[in-house]
Amino acid sequence: MKNNRFLPVLVALVVIILLGAAFYFVRPHTFHGTVYQSAEEAPNFTLNVANGKTVKLSDFRGKIVLVYFGYTFCPDVCPATLGVVTQALKDLGAKADEVQVIMISVDPGRDTPEKLAEYVKHFHPTFIGGTNTPEEIASIASLYGIFYEVSGQTTSNGDYLIDHTATLMAIDRDGFLKVVFPFGITSDELADDLKYTLR
Amino acid sequence: MKHSLLARIFYGFAALLVVSAFAFKIIQPIKVLPRIRLSPAFSLTDQNGERVTNEDLRGKIVLYTFTYTNCPAPCANLDATMQDVYARLDEANLGEIPFVRVTVSFDPARDTPSTLKSYADGLSANRATWVFATTDDEALLKTIIGVGFKAYYEKKADGSYAFDPTFILVDGWGTIRGEYRYSTEVSTADRILRHLSVLADEVHNATGSAKLAYEAAHLFLCYAK
């Protein structure tokens, strides 16, 4: 019976390794943005989109909605972020149908619904771009924590620039704010989080 | 006396359980503050007539309250709580994390920067640690305070205001982490300070593999009382 002395130790070791492996494989998904446990739906909003139509956030229950605040004159930050989103949707394949991207203009003075539609089409055919009155935009942006202002800088064409908070927000199928992604998220990271949320 | 193999395995596990229970008790499970919702964005004018925005406050933990300087006696409690929290800030172990108090007035017609300045001076408030601010855009102000911070206020016919005394705790990422609207047996300052220390622990410790444990605490709603 000499061999049996070490058997309990061996059994304990195997159990510990199995527990470790189990934890590794079922560990909670680590999001690449900040996760929220909101107790209420994200603030609803109405946007004027191309062809005289309007859309509301609440029209998209059942889909993951990615909300982004930007403007069509935006030289670098907005195209970069929308490009990352486009790539992430490609990585999702057919599942991308369950994601709706909405860009809200922080430049209601220059961005018309038609201009926004034309702009977002360059990134993805399903993207929606919308605007509203300056007062409504100020209110929507505030409730999504988005600060924006006309910056002192202009482009070489003399167009003014707008500084704005560049976060990307994911609203879940039930309309609750789920994740806030910082500027600089990669398409792989975004696709990873979207796949998990869409599972 | 010889134990059977099964018995030894059983005792082994029993011992492991007891050790884990002690370890759990000693280490204490991680507590976190919920990420309630996004703090609203704003651009206000402070007691020095300078602009203060939510982006200026990014990276700082901010304690907000909402009032008006013509408020009769009860509002003094709000100021007292703000002072109490700051005086006892050591209890929160914030370390190098910057902390700012912001009192937002919902009476911009009377609370001009100079009025706010003399009010702040009356409380010996230093702009670096206690901001008093408001904006003339009353519609937007209502959205910011009433909808964004969910702090109710309403102007009455006699020019005074009906409002719910509210404190809101916002982290450095612009996320609302604590809302204090009702009096309990525990003083509001005590609760705010305890929550500040929970928040400071998360900021200090939630890095590397420990981040996983903190995210799990969020997932399993291990919220501080």
Side-chain angles (χ1 to χ4, degrees), chain A residues 7 28 30 34-38 40 139 142-147 149 165 169, chain B residues 5 35-41 51 53-55 143-144 148 150 175 212 223:
Chain A
L7 202 58
T30 315
T34 307
V35 184
Y36 285 71
Q37 286 87 23
S38 312
E40 65 229 341
S139 165
S142 173
L143 296 181
Y144 280 88
I146 303 292
F147 173 78
E149 64 172 347
T165 311
M169 282 156 280
Chain B
L5 183 61
R35 299 193 185 110
I36 299 170
R37 63 179 183 279
L38 284 163
S39 176
R51 191 178 79 159
T53 72
N54 61 304
E55 288 296 335
T143 300
I144 294 164
K150 296 196 192 305
T175 301
L212 211 66
Y223 295 146

PDB file of all heavy atoms in Angstrom, chain A residues 7 28 30 34-38 40 139 142-147 149 165 169, chain B residues 5 35-41 51 53-55 143-144 148 150 175 212 223:
ATOM      1  N   LEU A   7      -1.080   9.052  -3.547  1.00  0.00           N
ATOM      2  CA  LEU A   7      -2.263   9.144  -4.409  1.00  0.00           C
ATOM      3  C   LEU A   7      -3.157  10.338  -4.070  1.00  0.00           C
ATOM      4  O   LEU A   7      -3.559  11.080  -4.973  1.00  0.00           O
ATOM      5  CB  LEU A   7      -3.059   7.831  -4.343  1.00  0.00           C
ATOM      6  CG  LEU A   7      -3.977   7.593  -5.541  1.00  0.00           C
ATOM      7  CD1 LEU A   7      -3.204   7.584  -6.853  1.00  0.00           C
ATOM      8  CD2 LEU A   7      -4.760   6.316  -5.352  1.00  0.00           C
ATOM      9  N   PRO A  28     -15.044  35.200 -17.105  1.00  0.00           N
ATOM     10  CA  PRO A  28     -15.881  36.196 -17.762  1.00  0.00           C
ATOM     11  C   PRO A  28     -15.140  36.873 -18.909  1.00  0.00           C
ATOM     12  O   PRO A  28     -13.927  37.070 -18.830  1.00  0.00           O
ATOM     13  CB  PRO A  28     -16.204  37.200 -16.642  1.00  0.00           C
ATOM     14  CG  PRO A  28     -15.262  36.903 -15.535  1.00  0.00           C
ATOM     15  CD  PRO A  28     -14.824  35.486 -15.683  1.00  0.00           C
ATOM     16  N   THR A  30     -13.559  39.578 -21.016  1.00  0.00           N
ATOM     17  CA  THR A  30     -13.011  40.880 -20.649  1.00  0.00           C
ATOM     18  C   THR A  30     -13.253  41.848 -21.798  1.00  0.00           C
ATOM     19  O   THR A  30     -12.711  41.671 -22.886  1.00  0.00           O
ATOM     20  CB  THR A  30     -11.496  40.784 -20.369  1.00  0.00           C
ATOM     21  OG1 THR A  30     -11.268  39.637 -19.569  1.00  0.00           O
ATOM     22  CG2 THR A  30     -11.000  42.023 -19.655  1.00  0.00           C
ATOM     23  N   THR A  34     -15.437  50.164 -21.355  1.00  0.00           N
ATOM     24  CA  THR A  34     -15.991  50.189 -20.009  1.00  0.00           C
ATOM     25  C   THR A  34     -17.416  49.638 -20.045  1.00  0.00           C
ATOM     26  O   THR A  34     -18.243  50.108 -20.822  1.00  0.00           O
ATOM     27  CB  THR A  34     -16.005  51.636 -19.479  1.00  0.00           C
ATOM     28  OG1 THR A  34     -14.684  52.160 -19.622  1.00  0.00           O
ATOM     29  CG2 THR A  34     -16.418  51.689 -18.035  1.00  0.00           C
ATOM     30  N   VAL A  35     -17.673  48.637 -19.204  1.00  0.00           N
ATOM     31  CA  VAL A  35     -18.987  47.983 -19.199  1.00  0.00           C
ATOM     32  C   VAL A  35     -19.911  48.656 -18.188  1.00  0.00           C
ATOM     33  O   VAL A  35     -19.491  48.977 -17.080  1.00  0.00           O
ATOM     34  CB  VAL A  35     -18.844  46.493 -18.825  1.00  0.00           C
ATOM     35  CG1 VAL A  35     -20.189  45.789 -18.922  1.00  0.00           C
ATOM     36  CG2 VAL A  35     -17.828  45.824 -19.729  1.00  0.00           C
ATOM     37  N   TYR A  36     -21.153  48.870 -18.585  1.00  0.00           N
ATOM     38  CA  TYR A  36     -22.142  49.493 -17.711  1.00  0.00           C
ATOM     39  C   TYR A  36     -23.208  48.485 -17.319  1.00  0.00           C
ATOM     40  O   TYR A  36     -23.539  47.600 -18.097  1.00  0.00           O
ATOM     41  CB  TYR A  36     -22.804  50.682 -18.424  1.00  0.00           C
ATOM     42  CG  TYR A  36     -21.893  51.889 -18.490  1.00  0.00           C
ATOM     43  CD1 TYR A  36     -20.790  51.879 -19.325  1.00  0.00           C
ATOM     44  CD2 TYR A  36     -22.125  53.003 -17.701  1.00  0.00           C
ATOM     45  CE1 TYR A  36     -19.921  52.955 -19.363  1.00  0.00           C
ATOM     46  CE2 TYR A  36     -21.264  54.092 -17.744  1.00  0.00           C
ATOM     47  CZ  TYR A  36     -20.175  54.060 -18.572  1.00  0.00           C
ATOM     48  OH  TYR A  36     -19.325  55.120 -18.601  1.00  0.00           O
ATOM     49  N   GLN A  37     -23.726  48.656 -16.107  1.00  0.00           N
ATOM     50  CA  GLN A  37     -24.882  47.861 -15.681  1.00  0.00           C
ATOM     51  C   GLN A  37     -26.033  48.835 -15.454  1.00  0.00           C
ATOM     52  O   GLN A  37     -26.516  48.996 -14.343  1.00  0.00           O
ATOM     53  CB  GLN A  37     -24.577  47.090 -14.390  1.00  0.00           C
ATOM     54  CG  GLN A  37     -23.667  45.897 -14.569  1.00  0.00           C
ATOM     55  CD  GLN A  37     -22.191  46.258 -14.478  1.00  0.00           C
ATOM     56  OE1 GLN A  37     -21.828  47.257 -13.897  1.00  0.00           O
ATOM     57  NE2 GLN A  37     -21.347  45.439 -15.072  1.00  0.00           N
ATOM     58  N   SER A  38     -26.425  49.529 -16.516  1.00  0.00           N
ATOM     59  CA  SER A  38     -27.462  50.539 -16.377  1.00  0.00           C
ATOM     60  C   SER A  38     -28.767  49.908 -15.936  1.00  0.00           C
ATOM     61  O   SER A  38     -29.117  48.828 -16.382  1.00  0.00           O
ATOM     62  CB  SER A  38     -27.699  51.243 -17.719  1.00  0.00           C
ATOM     63  OG  SER A  38     -26.481  51.627 -18.293  1.00  0.00           O
ATOM     64  N   GLU A  40     -31.550  51.575 -16.408  1.00  0.00           N
ATOM     65  CA  GLU A  40     -32.588  52.137 -17.269  1.00  0.00           C
ATOM     66  C   GLU A  40     -32.066  52.244 -18.701  1.00  0.00           C
ATOM     67  O   GLU A  40     -30.861  52.220 -18.939  1.00  0.00           O
ATOM     68  CB  GLU A  40     -33.013  53.510 -16.747  1.00  0.00           C
ATOM     69  CG  GLU A  40     -31.915  54.539 -16.816  1.00  0.00           C
ATOM     70  CD  GLU A  40     -31.748  55.303 -15.502  1.00  0.00           C
ATOM     71  OE1 GLU A  40     -32.685  55.295 -14.675  1.00  0.00           O
ATOM     72  OE2 GLU A  40     -30.681  55.881 -15.312  1.00  0.00           O
ATOM     73  N   SER A 139     -28.617  68.722 -26.396  1.00  0.00           N
ATOM     74  CA  SER A 139     -29.229  67.926 -25.341  1.00  0.00           C
ATOM     75  C   SER A 139     -28.848  66.446 -25.457  1.00  0.00           C
ATOM     76  O   SER A 139     -28.463  65.809 -24.477  1.00  0.00           O
ATOM     77  CB  SER A 139     -30.742  68.144 -25.426  1.00  0.00           C
ATOM     78  OG  SER A 139     -31.417  67.187 -24.684  1.00  0.00           O
ATOM     79  N   SER A 142     -25.122  65.943 -24.597  1.00  0.00           N
ATOM     80  CA  SER A 142     -24.879  66.054 -23.160  1.00  0.00           C
ATOM     81  C   SER A 142     -25.234  64.752 -22.447  1.00  0.00           C
ATOM     82  O   SER A 142     -24.463  64.258 -21.625  1.00  0.00           O
ATOM     83  CB  SER A 142     -25.692  67.201 -22.559  1.00  0.00           C
ATOM     84  OG  SER A 142     -25.579  67.193 -21.157  1.00  0.00           O
ATOM     85  N   LEU A 143     -26.384  64.185 -22.799  1.00  0.00           N
ATOM     86  CA  LEU A 143     -26.836  62.983 -22.097  1.00  0.00           C
ATOM     87  C   LEU A 143     -25.976  61.761 -22.413  1.00  0.00           C
ATOM     88  O   LEU A 143     -25.993  60.780 -21.681  1.00  0.00           O
ATOM     89  CB  LEU A 143     -28.310  62.706 -22.412  1.00  0.00           C
ATOM     90  CG  LEU A 143     -29.264  63.791 -21.908  1.00  0.00           C
ATOM     91  CD1 LEU A 143     -30.694  63.439 -22.242  1.00  0.00           C
ATOM     92  CD2 LEU A 143     -29.107  63.986 -20.399  1.00  0.00           C
ATOM     93  N   TYR A 144     -25.211  61.824 -23.517  1.00  0.00           N
ATOM     94  CA  TYR A 144     -24.268  60.746 -23.819  1.00  0.00           C
ATOM     95  C   TYR A 144     -22.838  61.132 -23.417  1.00  0.00           C
ATOM     96  O   TYR A 144     -21.877  60.482 -23.821  1.00  0.00           O
ATOM     97  CB  TYR A 144     -24.348  60.354 -25.307  1.00  0.00           C
ATOM     98  CG  TYR A 144     -25.537  59.448 -25.566  1.00  0.00           C
ATOM     99  CD1 TYR A 144     -26.785  59.963 -25.871  1.00  0.00           C
ATOM    100  CD2 TYR A 144     -25.409  58.068 -25.453  1.00  0.00           C
ATOM    101  CE1 TYR A 144     -27.881  59.140 -26.075  1.00  0.00           C
ATOM    102  CE2 TYR A 144     -26.492  57.234 -25.649  1.00  0.00           C
ATOM    103  CZ  TYR A 144     -27.726  57.784 -25.963  1.00  0.00           C
ATOM    104  OH  TYR A 144     -28.808  56.943 -26.146  1.00  0.00           O
ATOM    105  N   GLY A 145     -22.719  62.190 -22.603  1.00  0.00           N
ATOM    106  CA  GLY A 145     -21.406  62.585 -22.094  1.00  0.00           C
ATOM    107  C   GLY A 145     -20.474  63.142 -23.152  1.00  0.00           C
ATOM    108  O   GLY A 145     -19.263  63.153 -22.977  1.00  0.00           O
ATOM    109  N   ILE A 146     -21.060  63.607 -24.270  1.00  0.00           N
ATOM    110  CA  ILE A 146     -20.235  64.095 -25.382  1.00  0.00           C
ATOM    111  C   ILE A 146     -20.127  65.620 -25.318  1.00  0.00           C
ATOM    112  O   ILE A 146     -21.113  66.328 -25.500  1.00  0.00           O
ATOM    113  CB  ILE A 146     -20.841  63.690 -26.749  1.00  0.00           C
ATOM    114  CG1 ILE A 146     -21.001  62.179 -26.848  1.00  0.00           C
ATOM    115  CG2 ILE A 146     -19.997  64.241 -27.900  1.00  0.00           C
ATOM    116  CD1 ILE A 146     -19.722  61.389 -26.913  1.00  0.00           C
ATOM    117  N   PHE A 147     -18.906  66.101 -25.092  1.00  0.00           N
ATOM    118  CA  PHE A 147     -18.643  67.530 -25.132  1.00  0.00           C
ATOM    119  C   PHE A 147     -18.178  67.875 -26.539  1.00  0.00           C
ATOM    120  O   PHE A 147     -17.417  67.130 -27.150  1.00  0.00           O
ATOM    121  CB  PHE A 147     -17.555  67.897 -24.118  1.00  0.00           C
ATOM    122  CG  PHE A 147     -17.111  69.326 -24.223  1.00  0.00           C
ATOM    123  CD1 PHE A 147     -17.877  70.343 -23.694  1.00  0.00           C
ATOM    124  CD2 PHE A 147     -15.921  69.645 -24.882  1.00  0.00           C
ATOM    125  CE1 PHE A 147     -17.480  71.665 -23.809  1.00  0.00           C
ATOM    126  CE2 PHE A 147     -15.515  70.971 -24.982  1.00  0.00           C
ATOM    127  CZ  PHE A 147     -16.297  71.977 -24.453  1.00  0.00           C
ATOM    128  N   GLU A 149     -17.277  71.520 -29.224  1.00  0.00           N
ATOM    129  CA  GLU A 149     -17.246  72.971 -29.420  1.00  0.00           C
ATOM    130  C   GLU A 149     -16.478  73.258 -30.707  1.00  0.00           C
ATOM    131  O   GLU A 149     -15.627  72.480 -31.131  1.00  0.00           O
ATOM    132  CB  GLU A 149     -16.548  73.668 -28.249  1.00  0.00           C
ATOM    133  CG  GLU A 149     -15.085  73.277 -28.136  1.00  0.00           C
ATOM    134  CD  GLU A 149     -14.324  74.087 -27.102  1.00  0.00           C
ATOM    135  OE1 GLU A 149     -14.853  75.100 -26.655  1.00  0.00           O
ATOM    136  OE2 GLU A 149     -13.202  73.683 -26.763  1.00  0.00           O
ATOM    137  N   THR A 165     -15.773  64.860 -27.881  1.00  0.00           N
ATOM    138  CA  THR A 165     -15.455  63.600 -27.220  1.00  0.00           C
ATOM    139  C   THR A 165     -15.614  62.486 -28.248  1.00  0.00           C
ATOM    140  O   THR A 165     -16.615  62.434 -28.960  1.00  0.00           O
ATOM    141  CB  THR A 165     -16.411  63.369 -26.028  1.00  0.00           C
ATOM    142  OG1 THR A 165     -16.441  64.547 -25.239  1.00  0.00           O
ATOM    143  CG2 THR A 165     -15.960  62.184 -25.178  1.00  0.00           C
ATOM    144  N   MET A 169     -20.212  54.200 -28.456  1.00  0.00           N
ATOM    145  CA  MET A 169     -21.042  53.554 -27.444  1.00  0.00           C
ATOM    146  C   MET A 169     -21.860  52.402 -28.019  1.00  0.00           C
ATOM    147  O   MET A 169     -22.402  52.524 -29.117  1.00  0.00           O
ATOM    148  CB  MET A 169     -21.972  54.591 -26.813  1.00  0.00           C
ATOM    149  CG  MET A 169     -21.218  55.426 -25.805  1.00  0.00           C
ATOM    150  SD  MET A 169     -21.952  57.018 -25.511  1.00  0.00           S
ATOM    151  CE  MET A 169     -21.359  57.921 -26.919  1.00  0.00           C
TER     152      MET A 169
ATOM    153  N   LEU B   5      -8.106   5.165   1.705  1.00  0.00           N
ATOM    154  CA  LEU B   5      -7.738   6.167   0.692  1.00  0.00           C
ATOM    155  C   LEU B   5      -8.825   7.243   0.555  1.00  0.00           C
ATOM    156  O   LEU B   5      -8.552   8.434   0.565  1.00  0.00           O
ATOM    157  CB  LEU B   5      -7.537   5.448  -0.646  1.00  0.00           C
ATOM    158  CG  LEU B   5      -7.081   6.323  -1.797  1.00  0.00           C
ATOM    159  CD1 LEU B   5      -5.742   6.966  -1.494  1.00  0.00           C
ATOM    160  CD2 LEU B   5      -7.009   5.489  -3.061  1.00  0.00           C
ATOM    161  N   ARG B  35     -21.343  50.959 -12.233  1.00  0.00           N
ATOM    162  CA  ARG B  35     -21.222  51.988 -13.270  1.00  0.00           C
ATOM    163  C   ARG B  35     -22.646  52.299 -13.702  1.00  0.00           C
ATOM    164  O   ARG B  35     -23.242  51.576 -14.503  1.00  0.00           O
ATOM    165  CB  ARG B  35     -20.387  51.462 -14.439  1.00  0.00           C
ATOM    166  CG  ARG B  35     -18.975  51.089 -14.006  1.00  0.00           C
ATOM    167  CD  ARG B  35     -18.079  50.876 -15.199  1.00  0.00           C
ATOM    168  NE  ARG B  35     -16.779  50.399 -14.780  1.00  0.00           N
ATOM    169  CZ  ARG B  35     -16.337  49.154 -15.010  1.00  0.00           C
ATOM    170  NH1 ARG B  35     -17.068  48.295 -15.679  1.00  0.00           N
ATOM    171  NH2 ARG B  35     -15.153  48.804 -14.582  1.00  0.00           N
ATOM    172  N   ILE B  36     -23.212  53.351 -13.115  1.00  0.00           N
ATOM    173  CA  ILE B  36     -24.650  53.586 -13.211  1.00  0.00           C
ATOM    174  C   ILE B  36     -25.050  54.087 -14.593  1.00  0.00           C
ATOM    175  O   ILE B  36     -25.912  53.531 -15.247  1.00  0.00           O
ATOM    176  CB  ILE B  36     -25.105  54.553 -12.100  1.00  0.00           C
ATOM    177  CG1 ILE B  36     -24.805  53.915 -10.728  1.00  0.00           C
ATOM    178  CG2 ILE B  36     -26.584  54.871 -12.237  1.00  0.00           C
ATOM    179  CD1 ILE B  36     -24.975  54.830  -9.549  1.00  0.00           C
ATOM    180  N   ARG B  37     -24.429  55.160 -15.046  1.00  0.00           N
ATOM    181  CA  ARG B  37     -24.668  55.667 -16.397  1.00  0.00           C
ATOM    182  C   ARG B  37     -23.639  56.749 -16.681  1.00  0.00           C
ATOM    183  O   ARG B  37     -22.854  57.110 -15.809  1.00  0.00           O
ATOM    184  CB  ARG B  37     -26.093  56.200 -16.572  1.00  0.00           C
ATOM    185  CG  ARG B  37     -26.408  57.377 -15.699  1.00  0.00           C
ATOM    186  CD  ARG B  37     -27.820  57.898 -15.901  1.00  0.00           C
ATOM    187  NE  ARG B  37     -27.997  59.082 -15.073  1.00  0.00           N
ATOM    188  CZ  ARG B  37     -28.267  59.024 -13.774  1.00  0.00           C
ATOM    189  NH1 ARG B  37     -28.416  57.859 -13.189  1.00  0.00           N
ATOM    190  NH2 ARG B  37     -28.388  60.134 -13.071  1.00  0.00           N
ATOM    191  N   LEU B  38     -23.668  57.273 -17.907  1.00  0.00           N
ATOM    192  CA  LEU B  38     -22.726  58.322 -18.278  1.00  0.00           C
ATOM    193  C   LEU B  38     -23.096  59.624 -17.589  1.00  0.00           C
ATOM    194  O   LEU B  38     -24.267  59.989 -17.513  1.00  0.00           O
ATOM    195  CB  LEU B  38     -22.758  58.536 -19.792  1.00  0.00           C
ATOM    196  CG  LEU B  38     -22.053  57.471 -20.621  1.00  0.00           C
ATOM    197  CD1 LEU B  38     -22.504  57.548 -22.067  1.00  0.00           C
ATOM    198  CD2 LEU B  38     -20.542  57.649 -20.534  1.00  0.00           C
ATOM    199  N   SER B  39     -22.088  60.300 -17.092  1.00  0.00           N
ATOM    200  CA  SER B  39     -22.300  61.629 -16.548  1.00  0.00           C
ATOM    201  C   SER B  39     -22.531  62.577 -17.726  1.00  0.00           C
ATOM    202  O   SER B  39     -21.877  62.443 -18.754  1.00  0.00           O
ATOM    203  CB  SER B  39     -21.057  62.035 -15.760  1.00  0.00           C
ATOM    204  OG  SER B  39     -21.171  63.343 -15.301  1.00  0.00           O
ATOM    205  N   PRO B  40     -23.477  63.525 -17.596  1.00  0.00           N
ATOM    206  CA  PRO B  40     -23.745  64.402 -18.744  1.00  0.00           C
ATOM    207  C   PRO B  40     -22.556  65.317 -19.061  1.00  0.00           C
ATOM    208  O   PRO B  40     -21.768  65.643 -18.187  1.00  0.00           O
ATOM    209  CB  PRO B  40     -24.948  65.223 -18.286  1.00  0.00           C
ATOM    210  CG  PRO B  40     -24.896  65.195 -16.797  1.00  0.00           C
ATOM    211  CD  PRO B  40     -24.331  63.854 -16.441  1.00  0.00           C
ATOM    212  N   ALA B  41     -22.455  65.694 -20.333  1.00  0.00           N
ATOM    213  CA  ALA B  41     -21.444  66.665 -20.755  1.00  0.00           C
ATOM    214  C   ALA B  41     -21.986  68.066 -20.500  1.00  0.00           C
ATOM    215  O   ALA B  41     -23.197  68.282 -20.554  1.00  0.00           O
ATOM    216  CB  ALA B  41     -21.131  66.489 -22.236  1.00  0.00           C
ATOM    217  N   ARG B  51     -14.553  79.216 -17.957  1.00  0.00           N
ATOM    218  CA  ARG B  51     -15.307  78.070 -18.405  1.00  0.00           C
ATOM    219  C   ARG B  51     -14.841  76.795 -17.694  1.00  0.00           C
ATOM    220  O   ARG B  51     -13.641  76.594 -17.490  1.00  0.00           O
ATOM    221  CB  ARG B  51     -15.108  77.899 -19.907  1.00  0.00           C
ATOM    222  CG  ARG B  51     -16.045  76.895 -20.517  1.00  0.00           C
ATOM    223  CD  ARG B  51     -15.826  76.814 -21.990  1.00  0.00           C
ATOM    224  NE  ARG B  51     -14.654  75.999 -22.266  1.00  0.00           N
ATOM    225  CZ  ARG B  51     -14.437  75.424 -23.447  1.00  0.00           C
ATOM    226  NH1 ARG B  51     -15.278  75.607 -24.426  1.00  0.00           N
ATOM    227  NH2 ARG B  51     -13.365  74.685 -23.621  1.00  0.00           N
ATOM    228  N   THR B  53     -15.662  72.573 -18.109  1.00  0.00           N
ATOM    229  CA  THR B  53     -16.408  71.559 -18.859  1.00  0.00           C
ATOM    230  C   THR B  53     -16.184  70.191 -18.236  1.00  0.00           C
ATOM    231  O   THR B  53     -15.249  70.001 -17.442  1.00  0.00           O
ATOM    232  CB  THR B  53     -15.944  71.488 -20.330  1.00  0.00           C
ATOM    233  OG1 THR B  53     -14.643  70.892 -20.368  1.00  0.00           O
ATOM    234  CG2 THR B  53     -15.895  72.860 -20.975  1.00  0.00           C
ATOM    235  N   ASN B  54     -17.027  69.241 -18.629  1.00  0.00           N
ATOM    236  CA  ASN B  54     -16.851  67.870 -18.134  1.00  0.00           C
ATOM    237  C   ASN B  54     -15.509  67.309 -18.582  1.00  0.00           C
ATOM    238  O   ASN B  54     -14.895  66.503 -17.884  1.00  0.00           O
ATOM    239  CB  ASN B  54     -17.997  66.985 -18.615  1.00  0.00           C
ATOM    240  CG  ASN B  54     -18.076  66.893 -20.119  1.00  0.00           C
ATOM    241  OD1 ASN B  54     -18.177  67.918 -20.796  1.00  0.00           O
ATOM    242  ND2 ASN B  54     -18.013  65.698 -20.664  1.00  0.00           N
ATOM    243  N   GLU B  55     -15.025  67.757 -19.744  1.00  0.00           N
ATOM    244  CA  GLU B  55     -13.726  67.250 -20.218  1.00  0.00           C
ATOM    245  C   GLU B  55     -12.573  67.780 -19.361  1.00  0.00           C
ATOM    246  O   GLU B  55     -11.568  67.103 -19.183  1.00  0.00           O
ATOM    247  CB  GLU B  55     -13.506  67.606 -21.690  1.00  0.00           C
ATOM    248  CG  GLU B  55     -14.375  66.810 -22.660  1.00  0.00           C
ATOM    249  CD  GLU B  55     -14.079  65.303 -22.662  1.00  0.00           C
ATOM    250  OE1 GLU B  55     -12.964  64.901 -22.317  1.00  0.00           O
ATOM    251  OE2 GLU B  55     -14.994  64.535 -22.990  1.00  0.00           O
ATOM    252  N   THR B 143     -31.635  70.038 -18.800  1.00  0.00           N
ATOM    253  CA  THR B 143     -31.261  68.723 -19.324  1.00  0.00           C
ATOM    254  C   THR B 143     -30.098  68.139 -18.534  1.00  0.00           C
ATOM    255  O   THR B 143     -30.120  66.972 -18.141  1.00  0.00           O
ATOM    256  CB  THR B 143     -30.854  68.845 -20.817  1.00  0.00           C
ATOM    257  OG1 THR B 143     -31.965  69.355 -21.545  1.00  0.00           O
ATOM    258  CG2 THR B 143     -30.456  67.498 -21.388  1.00  0.00           C
ATOM    259  N   ILE B 144     -29.085  68.988 -18.275  1.00  0.00           N
ATOM    260  CA  ILE B 144     -27.885  68.509 -17.583  1.00  0.00           C
ATOM    261  C   ILE B 144     -28.222  68.048 -16.165  1.00  0.00           C
ATOM    262  O   ILE B 144     -27.924  66.923 -15.770  1.00  0.00           O
ATOM    263  CB  ILE B 144     -26.806  69.622 -17.546  1.00  0.00           C
ATOM    264  CG1 ILE B 144     -26.312  69.925 -18.971  1.00  0.00           C
ATOM    265  CG2 ILE B 144     -25.639  69.230 -16.644  1.00  0.00           C
ATOM    266  CD1 ILE B 144     -25.556  71.243 -19.092  1.00  0.00           C
ATOM    267  N   GLY B 148     -29.677  64.507 -16.963  1.00  0.00           N
ATOM    268  CA  GLY B 148     -28.364  63.856 -16.892  1.00  0.00           C
ATOM    269  C   GLY B 148     -28.020  63.389 -15.485  1.00  0.00           C
ATOM    270  O   GLY B 148     -27.673  62.233 -15.272  1.00  0.00           O
ATOM    271  N   LYS B 150     -30.213  63.560 -12.989  1.00  0.00           N
ATOM    272  CA  LYS B 150     -31.474  63.160 -12.371  1.00  0.00           C
ATOM    273  C   LYS B 150     -31.692  63.812 -11.008  1.00  0.00           C
ATOM    274  O   LYS B 150     -32.090  63.167 -10.036  1.00  0.00           O
ATOM    275  CB  LYS B 150     -31.564  61.634 -12.242  1.00  0.00           C
ATOM    276  CG  LYS B 150     -31.577  60.944 -13.599  1.00  0.00           C
ATOM    277  CD  LYS B 150     -32.061  59.524 -13.472  1.00  0.00           C
ATOM    278  CE  LYS B 150     -31.807  58.726 -14.739  1.00  0.00           C
ATOM    279  NZ  LYS B 150     -32.379  59.337 -15.950  1.00  0.00           N
ATOM    280  N   THR B 175     -18.115  58.512 -15.561  1.00  0.00           N
ATOM    281  CA  THR B 175     -19.208  57.582 -15.279  1.00  0.00           C
ATOM    282  C   THR B 175     -19.763  57.865 -13.891  1.00  0.00           C
ATOM    283  O   THR B 175     -18.999  58.029 -12.941  1.00  0.00           O
ATOM    284  CB  THR B 175     -18.685  56.136 -15.319  1.00  0.00           C
ATOM    285  OG1 THR B 175     -18.132  55.893 -16.601  1.00  0.00           O
ATOM    286  CG2 THR B 175     -19.804  55.146 -15.044  1.00  0.00           C
ATOM    287  N   LEU B 212      -9.360  41.477 -13.832  1.00  0.00           N
ATOM    288  CA  LEU B 212     -10.326  40.401 -14.071  1.00  0.00           C
ATOM    289  C   LEU B 212     -11.219  40.206 -12.847  1.00  0.00           C
ATOM    290  O   LEU B 212     -12.432  40.063 -12.963  1.00  0.00           O
ATOM    291  CB  LEU B 212      -9.562  39.108 -14.378  1.00  0.00           C
ATOM    292  CG  LEU B 212     -10.232  38.131 -15.317  1.00  0.00           C
ATOM    293  CD1 LEU B 212     -10.342  38.720 -16.703  1.00  0.00           C
ATOM    294  CD2 LEU B 212      -9.439  36.827 -15.347  1.00  0.00           C
ATOM    295  N   TYR B 223     -21.658  45.056  -5.049  1.00  0.00           N
ATOM    296  CA  TYR B 223     -21.644  46.490  -4.815  1.00  0.00           C
ATOM    297  C   TYR B 223     -21.468  46.828  -3.345  1.00  0.00           C
ATOM    298  O   TYR B 223     -22.010  46.160  -2.473  1.00  0.00           O
ATOM    299  CB  TYR B 223     -22.934  47.129  -5.334  1.00  0.00           C
ATOM    300  CG  TYR B 223     -23.092  47.022  -6.822  1.00  0.00           C
ATOM    301  CD1 TYR B 223     -24.346  46.862  -7.398  1.00  0.00           C
ATOM    302  CD2 TYR B 223     -21.972  47.064  -7.670  1.00  0.00           C
ATOM    303  CE1 TYR B 223     -24.490  46.765  -8.769  1.00  0.00           C
ATOM    304  CE2 TYR B 223     -22.107  46.964  -9.034  1.00  0.00           C
ATOM    305  CZ  TYR B 223     -23.372  46.812  -9.586  1.00  0.00           C
ATOM    306  OH  TYR B 223     -23.510  46.716 -10.936  1.00  0.00           O
TER     307      TYR B 223
END
